[in-house]
């Protein structure tokens, strides 16, 4: 009879261990997903800032072009809807940014 109680206890502990291991896997997975999402968001924000700066600063755009030209393949360039010639894309973006904008009139009715 004593052996039966031990077998039952072992079985219960093994089931408990299985539940705990499953919960650990779920928590690890959730934590890894949170890290991936945070890293992706970080890259998006940094990329947005870099591209916005490149659109404003032609010198920076040329530096960025050299960096991207050395590390980005044609497939990835297409993801960003860029020409195969990144320099032309940045030159256009910089030129567009530097175009005079129609400023809304100030309080006197004249453009600011």
């Amino acid at each position: 009879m004593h052996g039966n109680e031990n077998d039952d206890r072992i079985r219960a502990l093994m089931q408990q261990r299985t539940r705990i291991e499953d919960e650990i896997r779920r928590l690890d997975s959730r934590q890894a997903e949170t890290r991936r999402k945070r890293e992706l968001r970080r890259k998006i924000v940094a990329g947005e800032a870099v591209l916005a700066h490149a659109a404003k600063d032609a010198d920076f755009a040329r530096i960025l072009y050299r960096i991207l030209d050395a590390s980005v393949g044609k497939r990835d360039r297409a993801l960003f809807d860029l020409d195969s010639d990144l320099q032309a894309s940045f030159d256009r973006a910089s030129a567009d940014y530097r175009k005079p904008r129609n400023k809304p009139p100030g309080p006197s009715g004249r453009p600011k």
Side-chain angles (χ1 to χ4, degrees):
M1 197 77 157
H2 196 53
N4 225 5
E5 288 176 17
N6 283 339
D7 288 345
D8 291 343
R9 179 73 178 138
I10 289 171
R11 199 172 6 266
L13 288 171
M14 289 175 70
Q15 289 173 347
Q16 183 179 5
R17 180 176 64 187
T18 299
R19 285 191 301 272
I20 291 169
E21 288 171 346
D22 287 346
E23 181 65 15
I24 290 170
R25 276 192 293 277
R26 275 193 298 279
L27 291 172
D28 282 346
S29 178
R30 190 178 307 149
Q31 195 173 42
E33 180 67 19
T34 299
R35 276 193 306 270
R36 281 190 299 273
K37 285 180 180 181
R38 181 176 167 80
E39 181 63 19
L40 177 60
R41 180 70 187 143
R42 198 172 139 265
K43 290 175 182 179
I44 289 169
V45 170
E48 288 172 347
V50 167
L51 291 174
H53 189 74
K56 296 176 191 176
D57 183 330
D59 291 333
F60 181 77
R62 281 187 283 282
I63 293 167
L64 180 59
Y65 161 75
R66 286 193 298 272
I67 292 168
L68 293 175
D69 193 45
S71 61
V72 175
K74 282 187 177 186
R75 178 176 173 226
D76 290 332
R77 291 176 189 197
L79 286 173
F80 297 101
D81 197 26
L82 295 171
D83 297 333
S84 59
D85 179 3
L86 284 174
Q87 185 63 53
S89 296
F90 285 117
D91 287 346
R92 272 196 315 282
S94 293
D96 287 345
Y97 183 81
R98 287 191 300 265
K99 283 182 187 172
R101 306 258 193 263
N102 290 333
K103 295 182 181 177
S108 67
R110 286 182 265 150
K112 293 180 184 178

